[in-house]
Amino acid sequence: MTVDRESFIKSKFREFYESSSSMVEAPPSIEMREFGFLLFKDRVMVRHKGFRDVESLRSFLRQIVPLHAYYSAAYYAAPEEPMERKGWVGADLYFDIDADHIPTPCQKVHDVWVCRGCGFKGRGTPPERCPLCSQRRFEEKTWPCEVCLEAAKRETMKLVDILLKDFGFSQDEIKVSFSGHRGYHVHIEKDEIKDLDSAARKEIVDYITGTGLDAKFHGLEAAGEGSRVLVGPHLGDSGWRGRIARGVYDLLLKADGEHLEELGLRRNVVKTIVENREVIIRSWESGGPWGLIRGVGLESWKAIIRKGVEAQAAKIDTVVTTDIHRLIRLENTLHGKTGLLKVGFPTDKIEDFDPFKDAVAFKRGEVTVFIEEAPEFRIWEETYGPFKGEKAELPVAAALLLLCKGMAEVAQ
Ligand SMILES: [Zn+2]
Ligand SMILES: [Zn+2]
């Protein structure tokens, strides 16, 4: 990063923390949390910081102006001590949904990787090994694209639905936030979940991702002893029963023959399903299609169900939830990769949340930048780019996004 770019970003981040650090609120039991900050200078991580009150946290932010600011989902007896002497007391339940874990067709267009060994470049997700020098280390440049963020939002909505309906958390116990980059966080601070260990959290993860789910424990069975007729879950059933039924319903409603063959179904099974689609769809009103069609047996249904479960499960980053020492980005602080804010909002506002409007931190001023290459993007109602090797005068928020992404330089 050139000095100009770095110092411009830092000056803007400083302006923000000087005027808006009062937006940063203390997490509950602030005195039991560990804080961590990634500094501009040499990208050093300062960890094991503790604060007694929110004012000292805010003044620290104004003083150091971090590129990223984090706090622990965990509560510790002594948060400033080294890890082994902190005294873990409990942790909030955290979920991370990141576009990196959701396959979208546009990733091949806007994401770039560079081999750290030889500099070989490619688009999309990096391969296991570099095709030229077979090293495994890559620098990845991902883009907070609207399509990818919308996909992450859909996953977040599925997760919140599971937490509300299957786990019984209430709306106001579930906190949702935009990460400031490529995803969303969902977070629960209730006493009942605080002392769950990693293994218990793994079970929650498995439930949400539908891992190891077998439909035979969710109502898919023979209609009677020795019967070849199947019965199965209904659309309105609660828990995974209903989710299985709805997943299968959606799949049968939309999938064409080609999609069904990809599930590994035999050709005559696919033909039977496609020919009877109308009958199958109508049959849900009277309990579902499970036993309806001759020639679609248990194994075929299982393959269809697997796909239906995949569509109903929420694609969370499983590691974040099971890590009981995780550092989490602090709300209302800036994301160093975008200059956007991490912001929270109520669960019933997810649908309407617009990251390129609601997470914009810099609302005034313009700056001229030289843009190497950047895809088209939007800030508020205005779209910018695509750019290639050109100068442009942009609002500060738009320019910062490109500068933070390393796609532009401040023009002289
Ligand atoms: Zn290489
Ligand atoms: Zn995308």
Side-chain angles (χ1 to χ4, degrees):
M1 198 180 271
T2 61
V3 179
D4 277 348
R5 173 161 73 195
E6 174 102 9
S7 59
F8 179 83
I9 297 171
K10 191 169 179 186
S11 75
K12 287 293 155 193
F13 276 40
R14 172 169 288 119
E15 257 174 45
F16 172 81
Y17 285 113
E18 272 168 10
S19 67
S20 310
S21 64
S22 62
M23 280 166 61
V24 176
E25 303 213 30
S29 310
I30 184 172
E31 72 288 351
M32 299 179 83
R33 307 282 192 161
E34 178 200 353
F35 287 79
F37 305 91
L38 194 86
L39 307 184
F40 276 83
K41 193 169 163 43
D42 303 327
R43 298 293 185 268
V44 172
M45 181 76 168
V46 179
R47 279 194 73 162
H48 313 297
K49 285 289 295 175
F51 298 97
R52 309 185 78 116
D53 52 56
V54 70
E55 227 4 275
S56 48
L57 166 63
R58 288 170 182 165
S59 108
F60 190 80
L61 285 169
R62 290 192 294 269
Q63 189 195 325
I64 60 150
V65 187
L67 189 58
H68 299 276
Y70 308 95
Y71 75 104
S72 62
Y75 303 80
Y76 299 108
E80 301 214 48
E81 291 292 315
M83 226 55 210
E84 62 279 9
R85 273 185 279 139
K86 275 183 165 35
W88 188 88
V89 179
D92 299 330
L93 184 59
Y94 240 101
F95 301 96
D96 179 45
I97 289 166
D98 196 293
D100 292 354
H101 297 107
I102 308 166
T104 49
C106 44
Q107 270 160 1
K108 283 190 190 66
V109 182
H110 54 67
D111 290 355
V112 182
W113 52 265
V114 183
C115 170
R116 284 189 200 272
C118 70
F120 187 74
K121 279 184 194 175
R123 287 188 184 269
T125 4
E128 181 89 356
R129 286 168 176 278
C130 172
L132 272 195
C133 74
S134 51
Q135 287 216 24
R136 291 166 182 268
R137 295 189 311 125
F138 302 95
E139 188 193 326
E140 290 180 62
K141 263 189 197 171
T142 56
W143 180 250
C145 133
E146 292 215 45
V147 177
C148 290
L149 276 172
E150 194 55 35
K153 189 195 262 188
R154 296 289 135 200
E155 297 301 318
T156 308
M157 290 166 77
K158 282 194 267 175
L159 169 62
V160 168
D161 189 67
I162 295 173
L163 293 173
L164 285 170
K165 296 201 183 114
D166 298 19
F167 285 83
F169 292 113
S170 66
Q171 293 256 5
D172 51 357
E173 284 166 343
I174 302 172
K175 302 189 166 169
V176 190
S177 49
F178 168 60
S179 73
H181 187 215
R182 299 234 305 151
Y184 291 87
H185 296 165
V186 174
H187 165 206
I188 294 165
E189 283 162 349
K190 238 168 125 66
D191 275 340
E192 285 86 336
I193 48 84
K194 273 184 194 162
D195 56 3
L196 296 178
D197 62 10
S198 251
R201 288 167 202 251
K202 178 71 170 56
E203 287 190 37
I204 295 176
V205 164
D206 287 348
Y207 185 92
I208 287 164
T209 53
T211 303
L213 189 144
D214 189 335
K216 80 167 179 237
F217 300 117
H218 296 271
L220 186 71
E221 58 194 4
E225 187 111 11
S227 169
R228 294 185 64 181
V229 178
L230 285 173
V231 292
H234 301 188
L235 291 175
D237 284 353
S238 57
W240 264 110
R241 280 185 170 228
R243 292 182 198 287
I244 289 171
R246 295 191 292 276
V248 168
Y249 178 85
D250 289 345
L251 189 114
L252 294 180
L253 194 63
K254 283 181 248 158
D256 52 24
E258 200 178 317
H259 275 104
L260 292 169
E261 272 181 44
E262 278 170 17
L263 303 183
L265 300 182
R266 278 178 294 121
R267 195 155 288 176
N268 56 338
V269 172
V270 172
K271 190 161 167 268
T272 309
I273 292 175
V274 172
E275 280 172 1
N276 290 285
R277 192 196 303 272
E278 283 306 307
V279 185
I280 295 172
I281 299 304
R282 260 184 280 125
S283 76
W284 286 101
E285 284 139 38
S286 53
W290 312 106
L292 192 70
I293 336 156
R294 271 165 176 273
V296 183
L298 186 60
E299 288 312 309
S300 298
W301 277 122
K302 280 186 173 169
I304 296 170
I305 286 170
R306 265 197 299 279
K307 205 68 190 171
V309 165
E310 203 184 298
Q312 290 282 311
K315 293 183 185 62
I316 55 176
D317 180 345
T318 58
V319 178
V320 172
T321 306
T322 51
D323 181 356
I324 55 171
H325 299 100
R326 195 86 181 178
L327 289 180
I328 305 295
R329 186 173 301 280
L330 193 58
E331 207 164 295
N332 291 334
T333 61
L334 295 168
H335 197 301
K337 285 182 181 165
T338 57
L340 294 171
L341 284 171
K342 171 170 174 174
V343 276
F345 48 89
T347 49
D348 56 355
K349 294 281 184 290
I350 303 181
E351 185 95 67
D352 298 330
F353 180 81
D354 179 352
F356 298 100
K357 193 168 111 203
D358 303 325
V360 173
F362 298 92
K363 302 192 166 77
R364 273 193 294 271
E366 255 134 30
V367 57
T368 305
V369 287
F370 179 80
I371 307 140
E372 217 173 287
E373 192 181 351
E376 184 183 280
F377 64 101
R378 174 177 64 85
I379 298 285
W380 296 300
E381 310 304 329
E382 200 75 37
T383 54
Y384 304 94
F387 297 108
K388 194 163 178 127
E390 58 195 289
K391 256 187 187 184
E393 191 185 32
L394 298 176
V396 168
L400 259 184
L401 177 59
L402 300 182
L403 291 165
C404 288
K405 276 284 166 192
M407 292 169 157
E409 300 289 346
V410 180
Q412 297 302 324

